């Protein structure tokens, strides 16, 4: 919540605000988010305009998540910019009762609630499928080992069980000691 009283309502007046707030719950997406309560740094410029307060800001915080391919933990720095107009509560009576009303950000009792704006900006900035690194090879589909840890990892081509015994015999007879099971 931001207090706009200091700003006043004279169009053109501006004020800058820097503050650190605890992250609200679910700031992000399921696989990548700012942990609840973690510090979010806000640098904001509030500008009084005719119909309300224009908020321009930058938020930065630390993200924690999980690579969608290898499930490794991801830690990343988040920085998002946003700009949003908050309309004075007493000047938004042109669509009384319409559903659009809920979409409008409002200056209520001189206060601005940035949470939804922040949440939208963060969600938009996040990758849909976060990866620990761009070329993360993921997990072996056969045994689940992280391929990044073991890039030369390989399995024999899937063998029909009826042939497995035979293949084992073959392997034993040609074992040269370099392979490990
Ligand atoms: Zn990964
Ligand atoms: Zn494997």
């Amino acid at each position: 919540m931001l207090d706009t009283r200091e700003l006043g309502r004279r169009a053109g007046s501006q004020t800058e605000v820097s503050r650190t707030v605890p992250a609200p719950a679910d700031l992000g997406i399921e696989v990548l988010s700012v942990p609840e309560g973690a510090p979010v740094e806000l640098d904001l410029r509030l500008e009084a305009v005719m119909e309300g307060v224009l908020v321009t800001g930058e938020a930065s915080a630390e993200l924690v998540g999980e690579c969608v391919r290898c499930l490794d933990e991801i830690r990343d720095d988040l920085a998002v910019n946003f700009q949003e107009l908050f309309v004075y509560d007493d000047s938004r009576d042109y669509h009384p009762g319409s559903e659009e009303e809920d979409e409008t950000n409002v200056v209520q009792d001189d206060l601005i609630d940035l949470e939804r704006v922040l949440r939208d900006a963060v969600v938009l900035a996040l990758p849909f499928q976060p990866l620990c690194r761009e070329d993360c090879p993921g997990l072996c589909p056969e045994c689940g080992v992280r391929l990044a840890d073991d890039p030369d990892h390989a399995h024999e081509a899937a063998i029909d069980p009826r042939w497995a015994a035979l293949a084992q015999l073959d392997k034993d007879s040609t074992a040269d000691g370099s392979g490990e099971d």
Side-chain angles (χ1 to χ4, degrees):
M1 283 289 186
L2 275 177
D3 199 327
T4 66
R5 254 169 302 182
E6 205 184 311
L7 175 68
R9 287 198 172 193
R10 197 162 49 84
S13 61
Q14 286 190 19
T15 176
E16 299 202 353
V17 181
S18 289
R19 63 166 61 170
T20 303
V21 298
D26 304 319
L27 185 58
I29 56 177
E30 197 182 338
V31 285
L32 190 62
S33 63
V34 182
E36 185 176 358
V40 179
E41 282 177 42
L42 297 172
D43 285 307
L44 307 167
R45 192 178 76 227
L46 309 184
E47 201 178 333
V49 294
M50 287 302 285
E51 60 274 58
V53 177
L54 184 65
V55 180
T56 310
E58 185 182 308
S60 52
E62 195 191 17
L63 288 167
V64 178
E66 199 173 72
C67 173
V68 294
R69 287 196 198 144
C70 72
L71 310 182
D72 235 25
E73 187 183 65
I74 298 175
R75 282 181 179 271
D76 205 357
D77 292 322
L78 168 80
V80 291
N81 294 295
F82 51 88
Q83 184 170 61
E84 198 72 36
L85 176 68
F86 289 78
V87 177
Y88 293 129
D89 199 21
D90 45 43
S91 67
R92 55 151 191 152
D93 46 1
Y94 28 85
H95 292 305
S98 82
E99 284 176 26
E100 279 171 58
E101 218 170 339
D102 296 330
E103 298 290 309
T104 310
N105 292 298
V106 178
V107 183
Q108 204 145 35
D109 302 327
D110 293 318
L111 293 173
I112 281 175
D113 185 359
L114 276 179
E115 186 174 322
R116 205 186 73 195
V117 172
L118 179 64
R119 193 186 301 278
D120 288 352
V122 168
V123 169
L124 272 177
L126 294 180
F128 186 56
Q129 300 209 303
L131 299 173
C132 59
R133 58 178 219 223
E134 214 157 300
D135 59 349
C136 172
L139 301 176
C140 170
E142 277 188 56
C143 69
V145 84
R146 286 185 69 228
L147 293 174
D149 293 340
D150 193 357
D152 299 326
H153 181 88
H155 291 272
E156 307 280 332
I159 295 168
D160 186 308
R162 285 169 296 180
W163 292 101
L166 205 63
Q168 191 58 47
L169 281 176
D170 189 44
K171 200 195 267 178
D172 288 346
S173 61
T174 60
D176 57 11
S178 68
E180 274 187 287
D181 279 324

PDB file of all heavy atoms in Angstrom, residues 87-111:
ATOM      1  N   VAL A  87      -6.800   5.325 -10.851  1.00  0.00           N
ATOM      2  CA  VAL A  87      -7.812   6.365 -11.027  1.00  0.00           C
ATOM      3  C   VAL A  87      -8.366   6.777  -9.663  1.00  0.00           C
ATOM      4  O   VAL A  87      -8.579   5.931  -8.795  1.00  0.00           O
ATOM      5  CB  VAL A  87      -8.942   5.820 -11.933  1.00  0.00           C
ATOM      6  CG1 VAL A  87     -10.053   6.845 -12.087  1.00  0.00           C
ATOM      7  CG2 VAL A  87      -8.390   5.431 -13.296  1.00  0.00           C
ATOM      8  N   TYR A  88      -8.594   8.080  -9.502  1.00  0.00           N
ATOM      9  CA  TYR A  88      -9.210   8.539  -8.250  1.00  0.00           C
ATOM     10  C   TYR A  88     -10.581   7.893  -8.095  1.00  0.00           C
ATOM     11  O   TYR A  88     -11.364   7.826  -9.044  1.00  0.00           O
ATOM     12  CB  TYR A  88      -9.353  10.061  -8.244  1.00  0.00           C
ATOM     13  CG  TYR A  88      -8.033  10.792  -8.203  1.00  0.00           C
ATOM     14  CD1 TYR A  88      -7.749  11.799  -9.117  1.00  0.00           C
ATOM     15  CD2 TYR A  88      -7.069  10.467  -7.248  1.00  0.00           C
ATOM     16  CE1 TYR A  88      -6.535  12.471  -9.087  1.00  0.00           C
ATOM     17  CE2 TYR A  88      -5.853  11.136  -7.222  1.00  0.00           C
ATOM     18  CZ  TYR A  88      -5.597  12.134  -8.137  1.00  0.00           C
ATOM     19  OH  TYR A  88      -4.388  12.783  -8.101  1.00  0.00           O
ATOM     20  N   ASP A  89     -10.826   7.432  -6.915  1.00  0.00           N
ATOM     21  CA  ASP A  89     -12.068   6.710  -6.634  1.00  0.00           C
ATOM     22  C   ASP A  89     -13.302   7.516  -7.023  1.00  0.00           C
ATOM     23  O   ASP A  89     -14.276   7.005  -7.536  1.00  0.00           O
ATOM     24  CB  ASP A  89     -12.112   6.388  -5.133  1.00  0.00           C
ATOM     25  CG  ASP A  89     -13.099   5.286  -4.842  1.00  0.00           C
ATOM     26  OD1 ASP A  89     -13.421   4.529  -5.770  1.00  0.00           O
ATOM     27  OD2 ASP A  89     -13.540   5.200  -3.694  1.00  0.00           O
ATOM     28  N   ASP A  90     -13.251   8.833  -6.818  1.00  0.00           N
ATOM     29  CA  ASP A  90     -14.432   9.660  -7.052  1.00  0.00           C
ATOM     30  C   ASP A  90     -14.579  10.117  -8.504  1.00  0.00           C
ATOM     31  O   ASP A  90     -15.481  10.854  -8.837  1.00  0.00           O
ATOM     32  CB  ASP A  90     -14.401  10.880  -6.139  1.00  0.00           C
ATOM     33  CG  ASP A  90     -13.024  11.521  -6.114  1.00  0.00           C
ATOM     34  OD1 ASP A  90     -12.414  11.658  -7.190  1.00  0.00           O
ATOM     35  OD2 ASP A  90     -12.541  11.849  -5.027  1.00  0.00           O
ATOM     36  N   SER A  91     -13.655   9.660  -9.379  1.00  0.00           N
ATOM     37  CA  SER A  91     -13.766  10.118 -10.766  1.00  0.00           C
ATOM     38  C   SER A  91     -13.970   8.949 -11.726  1.00  0.00           C
ATOM     39  O   SER A  91     -13.692   9.025 -12.895  1.00  0.00           O
ATOM     40  CB  SER A  91     -12.512  10.892 -11.179  1.00  0.00           C
ATOM     41  OG  SER A  91     -11.400  10.029 -11.234  1.00  0.00           O
ATOM     42  N   ARG A  92     -14.432   7.840 -11.202  1.00  0.00           N
ATOM     43  CA  ARG A  92     -14.576   6.691 -12.109  1.00  0.00           C
ATOM     44  C   ARG A  92     -16.013   6.183 -12.081  1.00  0.00           C
ATOM     45  O   ARG A  92     -16.290   5.005 -11.953  1.00  0.00           O
ATOM     46  CB  ARG A  92     -13.617   5.574 -11.730  1.00  0.00           C
ATOM     47  CG  ARG A  92     -13.749   5.149 -10.297  1.00  0.00           C
ATOM     48  CD  ARG A  92     -13.393   3.711 -10.091  1.00  0.00           C
ATOM     49  NE  ARG A  92     -13.798   3.322  -8.752  1.00  0.00           N
ATOM     50  CZ  ARG A  92     -14.121   2.091  -8.434  1.00  0.00           C
ATOM     51  NH1 ARG A  92     -14.102   1.151  -9.324  1.00  0.00           N
ATOM     52  NH2 ARG A  92     -14.496   1.809  -7.214  1.00  0.00           N
ATOM     53  N   ASP A  93     -16.947   7.111 -12.219  1.00  0.00           N
ATOM     54  CA  ASP A  93     -18.350   6.703 -12.169  1.00  0.00           C
ATOM     55  C   ASP A  93     -18.968   6.622 -13.557  1.00  0.00           C
ATOM     56  O   ASP A  93     -20.167   6.602 -13.707  1.00  0.00           O
ATOM     57  CB  ASP A  93     -19.155   7.645 -11.277  1.00  0.00           C
ATOM     58  CG  ASP A  93     -18.850   9.095 -11.570  1.00  0.00           C
ATOM     59  OD1 ASP A  93     -18.028   9.337 -12.489  1.00  0.00           O
ATOM     60  OD2 ASP A  93     -19.413   9.972 -10.913  1.00  0.00           O
ATOM     61  N   TYR A  94     -18.104   6.571 -14.581  1.00  0.00           N
ATOM     62  CA  TYR A  94     -18.680   6.532 -15.931  1.00  0.00           C
ATOM     63  C   TYR A  94     -19.162   5.145 -16.352  1.00  0.00           C
ATOM     64  O   TYR A  94     -19.909   5.007 -17.283  1.00  0.00           O
ATOM     65  CB  TYR A  94     -17.735   7.107 -16.996  1.00  0.00           C
ATOM     66  CG  TYR A  94     -16.270   7.002 -16.684  1.00  0.00           C
ATOM     67  CD1 TYR A  94     -15.555   5.852 -16.979  1.00  0.00           C
ATOM     68  CD2 TYR A  94     -15.594   8.088 -16.095  1.00  0.00           C
ATOM     69  CE1 TYR A  94     -14.208   5.782 -16.696  1.00  0.00           C
ATOM     70  CE2 TYR A  94     -14.242   8.008 -15.804  1.00  0.00           C
ATOM     71  CZ  TYR A  94     -13.549   6.848 -16.120  1.00  0.00           C
ATOM     72  OH  TYR A  94     -12.236   6.773 -15.839  1.00  0.00           O
ATOM     73  N   HIS A  95     -18.727   4.088 -15.689  1.00  0.00           N
ATOM     74  CA  HIS A  95     -19.256   2.747 -16.029  1.00  0.00           C
ATOM     75  C   HIS A  95     -19.832   2.113 -14.777  1.00  0.00           C
ATOM     76  O   HIS A  95     -19.337   1.082 -14.329  1.00  0.00           O
ATOM     77  CB  HIS A  95     -18.155   1.827 -16.563  1.00  0.00           C
ATOM     78  CG  HIS A  95     -17.629   2.236 -17.894  1.00  0.00           C
ATOM     79  ND1 HIS A  95     -18.417   2.414 -18.995  1.00  0.00           N
ATOM     80  CD2 HIS A  95     -16.361   2.473 -18.311  1.00  0.00           C
ATOM     81  CE1 HIS A  95     -17.667   2.764 -20.024  1.00  0.00           C
ATOM     82  NE2 HIS A  95     -16.417   2.807 -19.638  1.00  0.00           N
ATOM     83  N   PRO A  96     -20.865   2.729 -14.215  1.00  0.00           N
ATOM     84  CA  PRO A  96     -21.336   2.190 -12.931  1.00  0.00           C
ATOM     85  C   PRO A  96     -21.812   0.743 -13.076  1.00  0.00           C
ATOM     86  O   PRO A  96     -22.577   0.424 -13.985  1.00  0.00           O
ATOM     87  CB  PRO A  96     -22.494   3.133 -12.552  1.00  0.00           C
ATOM     88  CG  PRO A  96     -22.890   3.797 -13.820  1.00  0.00           C
ATOM     89  CD  PRO A  96     -21.694   3.804 -14.712  1.00  0.00           C
ATOM     90  N   GLY A  97     -21.324  -0.089 -12.205  1.00  0.00           N
ATOM     91  CA  GLY A  97     -21.796  -1.467 -12.179  1.00  0.00           C
ATOM     92  C   GLY A  97     -21.262  -2.362 -13.279  1.00  0.00           C
ATOM     93  O   GLY A  97     -21.575  -3.539 -13.317  1.00  0.00           O
ATOM     94  N   SER A  98     -20.465  -1.822 -14.192  1.00  0.00           N
ATOM     95  CA  SER A  98     -19.977  -2.686 -15.265  1.00  0.00           C
ATOM     96  C   SER A  98     -18.844  -3.569 -14.744  1.00  0.00           C
ATOM     97  O   SER A  98     -18.214  -3.273 -13.726  1.00  0.00           O
ATOM     98  CB  SER A  98     -19.490  -1.856 -16.444  1.00  0.00           C
ATOM     99  OG  SER A  98     -18.176  -1.398 -16.192  1.00  0.00           O
ATOM    100  N   GLU A  99     -18.601  -4.630 -15.492  1.00  0.00           N
ATOM    101  CA  GLU A  99     -17.562  -5.567 -15.043  1.00  0.00           C
ATOM    102  C   GLU A  99     -16.179  -4.952 -15.148  1.00  0.00           C
ATOM    103  O   GLU A  99     -15.266  -5.357 -14.463  1.00  0.00           O
ATOM    104  CB  GLU A  99     -17.626  -6.844 -15.884  1.00  0.00           C
ATOM    105  CG  GLU A  99     -18.788  -7.730 -15.478  1.00  0.00           C
ATOM    106  CD  GLU A  99     -18.912  -8.950 -16.362  1.00  0.00           C
ATOM    107  OE1 GLU A  99     -17.885  -9.370 -16.924  1.00  0.00           O
ATOM    108  OE2 GLU A  99     -20.029  -9.464 -16.493  1.00  0.00           O
ATOM    109  N   GLU A 100     -16.054  -3.985 -16.042  1.00  0.00           N
ATOM    110  CA  GLU A 100     -14.756  -3.343 -16.226  1.00  0.00           C
ATOM    111  C   GLU A 100     -14.263  -2.706 -14.931  1.00  0.00           C
ATOM    112  O   GLU A 100     -13.078  -2.520 -14.742  1.00  0.00           O
ATOM    113  CB  GLU A 100     -14.838  -2.258 -17.296  1.00  0.00           C
ATOM    114  CG  GLU A 100     -14.763  -2.793 -18.712  1.00  0.00           C
ATOM    115  CD  GLU A 100     -15.060  -1.702 -19.715  1.00  0.00           C
ATOM    116  OE1 GLU A 100     -14.345  -0.700 -19.683  1.00  0.00           O
ATOM    117  OE2 GLU A 100     -16.015  -1.859 -20.488  1.00  0.00           O
ATOM    118  N   GLU A 101     -15.194  -2.385 -14.106  1.00  0.00           N
ATOM    119  CA  GLU A 101     -14.848  -1.699 -12.879  1.00  0.00           C
ATOM    120  C   GLU A 101     -13.783  -2.471 -12.077  1.00  0.00           C
ATOM    121  O   GLU A 101     -12.887  -1.892 -11.494  1.00  0.00           O
ATOM    122  CB  GLU A 101     -16.098  -1.528 -12.030  1.00  0.00           C
ATOM    123  CG  GLU A 101     -16.125  -0.194 -11.306  1.00  0.00           C
ATOM    124  CD  GLU A 101     -17.469   0.045 -10.670  1.00  0.00           C
ATOM    125  OE1 GLU A 101     -18.458  -0.577 -11.100  1.00  0.00           O
ATOM    126  OE2 GLU A 101     -17.518   0.838  -9.736  1.00  0.00           O
ATOM    127  N   ASP A 102     -13.919  -3.772 -12.082  1.00  0.00           N
ATOM    128  CA  ASP A 102     -12.988  -4.587 -11.316  1.00  0.00           C
ATOM    129  C   ASP A 102     -11.573  -4.548 -11.887  1.00  0.00           C
ATOM    130  O   ASP A 102     -10.614  -4.835 -11.199  1.00  0.00           O
ATOM    131  CB  ASP A 102     -13.468  -6.043 -11.277  1.00  0.00           C
ATOM    132  CG  ASP A 102     -14.780  -6.160 -10.553  1.00  0.00           C
ATOM    133  OD1 ASP A 102     -15.030  -5.351  -9.647  1.00  0.00           O
ATOM    134  OD2 ASP A 102     -15.551  -7.067 -10.891  1.00  0.00           O
ATOM    135  N   GLU A 103     -11.488  -4.221 -13.170  1.00  0.00           N
ATOM    136  CA  GLU A 103     -10.184  -4.187 -13.822  1.00  0.00           C
ATOM    137  C   GLU A 103      -9.462  -2.874 -13.553  1.00  0.00           C
ATOM    138  O   GLU A 103      -8.281  -2.756 -13.809  1.00  0.00           O
ATOM    139  CB  GLU A 103     -10.356  -4.353 -15.339  1.00  0.00           C
ATOM    140  CG  GLU A 103     -10.989  -5.676 -15.738  1.00  0.00           C
ATOM    141  CD  GLU A 103     -10.044  -6.829 -15.485  1.00  0.00           C
ATOM    142  OE1 GLU A 103      -8.887  -6.735 -15.944  1.00  0.00           O
ATOM    143  OE2 GLU A 103     -10.456  -7.799 -14.834  1.00  0.00           O
ATOM    144  N   THR A 104     -10.195  -1.897 -13.088  1.00  0.00           N
ATOM    145  CA  THR A 104      -9.608  -0.576 -12.914  1.00  0.00           C
ATOM    146  C   THR A 104      -8.844  -0.509 -11.591  1.00  0.00           C
ATOM    147  O   THR A 104      -9.313  -0.952 -10.556  1.00  0.00           O
ATOM    148  CB  THR A 104     -10.715   0.495 -12.897  1.00  0.00           C
ATOM    149  OG1 THR A 104     -11.560   0.279 -14.020  1.00  0.00           O
ATOM    150  CG2 THR A 104     -10.129   1.885 -12.965  1.00  0.00           C
ATOM    151  N   ASN A 105      -7.651   0.048 -11.682  1.00  0.00           N
ATOM    152  CA  ASN A 105      -6.896   0.296 -10.458  1.00  0.00           C
ATOM    153  C   ASN A 105      -7.335   1.631  -9.894  1.00  0.00           C
ATOM    154  O   ASN A 105      -7.444   2.614 -10.615  1.00  0.00           O
ATOM    155  CB  ASN A 105      -5.406   0.322 -10.766  1.00  0.00           C
ATOM    156  CG  ASN A 105      -4.905  -1.043 -11.174  1.00  0.00           C
ATOM    157  OD1 ASN A 105      -4.974  -1.985 -10.409  1.00  0.00           O
ATOM    158  ND2 ASN A 105      -4.415  -1.151 -12.400  1.00  0.00           N
ATOM    159  N   VAL A 106      -7.569   1.642  -8.614  1.00  0.00           N
ATOM    160  CA  VAL A 106      -8.194   2.804  -8.003  1.00  0.00           C
ATOM    161  C   VAL A 106      -7.333   3.338  -6.858  1.00  0.00           C
ATOM    162  O   VAL A 106      -6.719   2.576  -6.118  1.00  0.00           O
ATOM    163  CB  VAL A 106      -9.594   2.411  -7.462  1.00  0.00           C
ATOM    164  CG1 VAL A 106     -10.242   3.591  -6.769  1.00  0.00           C
ATOM    165  CG2 VAL A 106     -10.473   1.917  -8.598  1.00  0.00           C
ATOM    166  N   VAL A 107      -7.307   4.644  -6.758  1.00  0.00           N
ATOM    167  CA  VAL A 107      -6.741   5.279  -5.573  1.00  0.00           C
ATOM    168  C   VAL A 107      -7.863   5.320  -4.548  1.00  0.00           C
ATOM    169  O   VAL A 107      -8.860   6.008  -4.734  1.00  0.00           O
ATOM    170  CB  VAL A 107      -6.266   6.721  -5.863  1.00  0.00           C
ATOM    171  CG1 VAL A 107      -5.623   7.315  -4.610  1.00  0.00           C
ATOM    172  CG2 VAL A 107      -5.302   6.759  -7.036  1.00  0.00           C
ATOM    173  N   GLN A 108      -7.727   4.532  -3.513  1.00  0.00           N
ATOM    174  CA  GLN A 108      -8.809   4.452  -2.542  1.00  0.00           C
ATOM    175  C   GLN A 108      -8.347   5.032  -1.205  1.00  0.00           C
ATOM    176  O   GLN A 108      -7.351   4.566  -0.642  1.00  0.00           O
ATOM    177  CB  GLN A 108      -9.225   2.986  -2.358  1.00  0.00           C
ATOM    178  CG  GLN A 108     -10.636   2.837  -1.852  1.00  0.00           C
ATOM    179  CD  GLN A 108     -11.296   1.597  -2.453  1.00  0.00           C
ATOM    180  OE1 GLN A 108     -10.641   0.583  -2.672  1.00  0.00           O
ATOM    181  NE2 GLN A 108     -12.595   1.676  -2.698  1.00  0.00           N
ATOM    182  N   ASP A 109      -9.076   6.004  -0.738  1.00  0.00           N
ATOM    183  CA  ASP A 109      -8.697   6.701   0.501  1.00  0.00           C
ATOM    184  C   ASP A 109      -7.244   7.152   0.454  1.00  0.00           C
ATOM    185  O   ASP A 109      -6.500   6.964   1.422  1.00  0.00           O
ATOM    186  CB  ASP A 109      -8.918   5.787   1.724  1.00  0.00           C
ATOM    187  CG  ASP A 109     -10.356   5.320   1.817  1.00  0.00           C
ATOM    188  OD1 ASP A 109     -11.252   6.087   1.430  1.00  0.00           O
ATOM    189  OD2 ASP A 109     -10.576   4.177   2.259  1.00  0.00           O
ATOM    190  N   ASP A 110      -6.844   7.692  -0.686  1.00  0.00           N
ATOM    191  CA  ASP A 110      -5.476   8.176  -0.900  1.00  0.00           C
ATOM    192  C   ASP A 110      -4.433   7.062  -0.915  1.00  0.00           C
ATOM    193  O   ASP A 110      -3.238   7.331  -0.879  1.00  0.00           O
ATOM    194  CB  ASP A 110      -5.075   9.218   0.168  1.00  0.00           C
ATOM    195  CG  ASP A 110      -5.885  10.496   0.038  1.00  0.00           C
ATOM    196  OD1 ASP A 110      -6.087  10.945  -1.116  1.00  0.00           O
ATOM    197  OD2 ASP A 110      -6.325  11.026   1.064  1.00  0.00           O
ATOM    198  N   LEU A 111      -4.897   5.825  -0.960  1.00  0.00           N
ATOM    199  CA  LEU A 111      -3.938   4.714  -0.946  1.00  0.00           C
ATOM    200  C   LEU A 111      -3.958   3.964  -2.280  1.00  0.00           C
ATOM    201  O   LEU A 111      -4.995   3.835  -2.930  1.00  0.00           O
ATOM    202  CB  LEU A 111      -4.278   3.728   0.177  1.00  0.00           C
ATOM    203  CG  LEU A 111      -4.111   4.250   1.597  1.00  0.00           C
ATOM    204  CD1 LEU A 111      -4.647   3.228   2.596  1.00  0.00           C
ATOM    205  CD2 LEU A 111      -2.647   4.555   1.886  1.00  0.00           C
TER     206      LEU A 111
END
